[in-house]
Amino acid sequence: MKRFASLLLTTTLLAAPAWAFDVEKDELTLGFIKLTDMAPLAIAKEKHFFEDEGLYVTLEAQSNWKVLLDRVISGELDGAHMLAGQPIAATIGYGTQGDVITPFSMDLNGNGITVSNEIWEMMKPYVEMDAEGKPVHPISAAALKPVIEKFRAEGKPFNMGMVFPVSTHNYELRYWLAAGGINPGLYSPEDVSGQIGAEALLSVTPPPQMPATLEAGTIYGYSVGEPWNQAAVFKGIGVPVVTDYEIWKNNPEKVFGITAKFNEENPETVKALTRALIRAAEWLDAGGNANRAEAVEILSRPEYVGADAEVIANSMTGTFEYEKGDKRDVPDFNVFFRYNATFPYYSDAVWYLTQMRRWGQIAEAKPDAWYDETAKKVYRPDIYQAAAQSLIDDGIIAADQFDFDDDGYREPTPAADIIDGVAYDGKAPNAYLDSLTIGLKGAELVEGGEIVSN
């Protein structure tokens, strides 16, 4: 018997709530990593949006992204805050295999790239400054290129950290480096280090460990979500040089992931979960971020992100601090609902697939139709639309707050919104790949550490 149903049967004084969906499973355990973009989960719990849907949810922090994915696939977790690349990679069999889907995109933007103080001082001579002597943003990785060349001339590897091989952070760091003329390396079926031909050597570091690893000198820079860029500023050990908003304006970030099996067995539960998360995301962006101060207090609690509220607020409330004291207004650094942030667009999934192909995680060329078919196996706007329509029908969120796109694809991203000046159209993935200067294109393969034409 369901937890809430049994409770209601104990009294004749309470009327049964009018839940939108008749959930099959009401006690759920959901996973997350300690990052500010897990906020929709925390808010859905703390503002009782889960309970409003007849769901009793336990949130559990996970030690790293691999453990989180493994526990979702095994059924130990019913769902989780995930890297957008994880459901996609699992579905195509790159790394951990599993049929994982997403009905909900958790946010846009939210990441940054930080370098150590030493590296920043070496970059500065190559960075354009304004009349007040402050850096002009966005800062191109071209300013880092002579630094890396100096390290290579001295026989020293230039090490950088990212959070997971199929993370947005890996692809954003690679995108920024490549746009500045720096080769971040390739993957092959025989060598999954991602360092084939690399000028900058990228490796995995868990998000909360990034600042300490930078301070120890093991890495010279990293790509991560908040609050771990701002933590480097507060500790006085590093400088965030670029945000992902500057790399690709309003880029997709995390997703909420579940197994296809869980959805098949609990379709109404999944819709109820999605409905609660949509409400949480809308609350986070309501009134021009009016609720962000309360969200910061919630996220700072040890059971959630567990970082100082002041550090979290530095980015969560619409500002971002680059070099110490250089705090700027960045109202869209974290976006949870506006710009249709929660809609699981197929074009977002296709972008991740193009980056997997660009860097060799997808070893062989695929036709455009394959990208479309694969995206539709993972991203489920049909579930999202059912949840959103119920919120419209109940008068909770207005219809004009949603974009029920006919084909599930965003409008192409214009060249002006991407740091390398290359437009992105999710319906033409191979043409997009061919337009990028560094990375695999066409029928190219990586064999014996070299790019060869097939």
Side-chain angles (χ1 to χ4, degrees):
M1 182 175 290
K2 295 177 181 177
R3 178 188 181 94
F4 291 98
S6 62
L7 178 63
L8 291 171
L9 287 173
T10 63
T11 177
T12 59
L13 299 178
L14 296 176
W19 293 324
F21 300 103
D22 185 16
V23 302
E24 301 87 358
K25 182 178 183 180
D26 60 4
E27 294 191 44
L28 304 170
T29 301
L30 308 178
F32 69 93
I33 297 292
K34 292 194 169 192
L35 294 159
T36 56
D37 56 21
M38 63 77 61
L41 288 171
I43 298 306
K45 183 173 178 65
E46 295 297 327
K47 305 305 288 187
H48 307 292
F49 297 147
F50 286 135
E51 289 181 20
D52 289 350
E53 304 304 325
L55 301 171
Y56 181 76
V57 172
T58 299
L59 299 179
E60 284 189 5
Q62 306 298 299
S63 59
N64 59 59
W65 292 113
K66 184 179 187 309
V67 167
L68 178 145
L69 178 63
D70 289 347
R71 295 191 75 207
V72 170
I73 290 173
S74 71
E76 295 171 76
L77 295 172
D78 296 302
H81 160 235
M82 284 187 182
L83 299 162
Q86 286 188 294
I88 298 165
T91 297
I92 66 173
Y94 185 80
T96 304
Q97 177 100 39
D99 292 324
V100 184
I101 65 170
T102 179
F104 178 83
S105 174
M106 292 190 71
D107 63 318
L108 305 177
N109 311 318
N111 298 330
I113 296 172
T114 293
V115 298
S116 69
N117 291 338
E118 174 197 5
I119 300 303
W120 173 237
E121 289 303 319
M122 296 174 72
M123 288 177 65
K124 268 187 172 180
Y126 308 100
V127 174
E128 181 185 355
M129 300 291 175
D130 65 17
E132 297 177 356
K134 291 185 176 181
V136 175
H137 283 267
I139 294 173
S140 168
L144 181 61
K145 189 174 176 64
V147 179
I148 292 177
E149 288 172 348
K150 184 176 187 299
F151 271 66
R152 295 183 75 194
E154 295 171 357
K156 295 189 296 186
F158 194 88
N159 299 317
M160 301 189 78
M162 48 79 182
V163 308
F164 202 67
V166 297
S167 67
T168 319
H169 318 77
N170 183 23
Y171 303 132
E172 287 170 349
L173 180 53
R174 288 170 173 274
Y175 212 102
W176 181 68
L177 291 169
I182 300 166
N183 191 333
L186 296 167
Y187 296 83
S188 76
E190 297 76 32
D191 183 349
V192 295
S193 70
Q195 298 180 355
I196 299 169
E199 295 173 286
L201 304 178
L202 280 52
S203 59
V204 170
T205 303
Q209 297 175 24
M210 291 284 195
T213 309
L214 184 75
E215 189 173 20
T218 307
I219 55 177
Y220 299 111
Y222 57 71
S223 177
V224 74
E226 283 306 302
W228 307 115
N229 295 288
Q230 295 299 283
V233 177
F234 272 73
K235 291 185 73 174
I237 61 170
V239 176
V241 291
V242 69
T243 67
D244 59 343
Y245 179 85
E246 296 168 316
I247 296 170
W248 176 12
K249 182 180 177 181
N250 293 330
N251 64 92
E253 233 309 286
K254 305 295 191 307
V255 297
F256 179 70
I258 55 174
T259 62
K261 179 182 178 183
F262 184 87
N263 181 57
E264 289 165 6
E265 294 176 350
N266 306 283
E268 300 300 291
T269 302
V270 173
K271 291 171 191 169
L273 270 170
T274 305
R275 179 176 154 112
L277 290 171
I278 292 172
R279 291 185 65 192
E282 192 275 337
W283 183 91
L284 279 159
D285 279 9
N289 294 350
N291 295 323
R292 293 295 181 89
E294 183 180 352
V296 166
E297 186 281 319
I298 291 169
L299 292 172
S300 69
R301 297 174 191 172
E303 64 267 33
Y304 297 127
V305 180
D308 290 345
E310 187 180 7
V311 176
I312 296 174
N314 228 29
S315 61
M316 190 74 168
T317 54
T319 62
F320 192 81
E321 190 166 14
Y322 294 90
E323 194 170 8
K324 189 67 175 175
D326 183 8
K327 184 181 284 192
R328 308 191 187 196
D329 290 334
V330 187
D332 286 339
F333 181 82
N334 282 119
V335 173
F336 293 98
F337 186 72
R338 55 186 177 272
Y339 314 135
N340 304 301
T342 53
F343 192 89
Y345 286 100
Y346 298 137
S347 46
D348 293 351
V350 170
W351 185 82
Y352 286 99
L353 289 164
T354 65
Q355 299 313 293
M356 292 176 188
R357 170 59 188 148
R358 180 183 188 183
W359 304 117
Q361 291 173 333
I362 296 173
E364 298 180 348
K366 304 289 185 182
D368 284 354
W370 178 87
Y371 287 89
D372 178 71
E373 291 162 5
T374 304
K376 288 175 178 175
K377 288 179 183 176
V378 182
Y379 278 45
R380 294 292 303 272
D382 57 315
I383 299 172
Y384 178 92
Q385 289 182 11
Q389 188 62 54
S390 73
L391 290 168
I392 294 168
D393 293 344
D394 289 347
I396 295 173
I397 301 179
D400 63 6
Q401 297 299 298
F402 296 99
D403 172 27
F404 292 162
D405 194 271
D406 288 339
D407 65 2
Y409 279 81
R410 289 184 189 272
E411 290 297 312
T413 305
D417 287 353
I418 304 179
I419 199 165
D420 60 1
V422 176
Y424 167 65
D425 182 354
K427 294 181 179 178
N430 281 295
Y432 169 65
L433 281 166
D434 288 344
S435 68
L436 300 169
T437 56
I438 298 177
L440 299 178
K441 48 179 62 69
E444 291 178 341
L445 307 171
V446 181
E447 290 184 354
E450 301 288 338
I451 297 177
V452 300
S453 296
N454 189 8

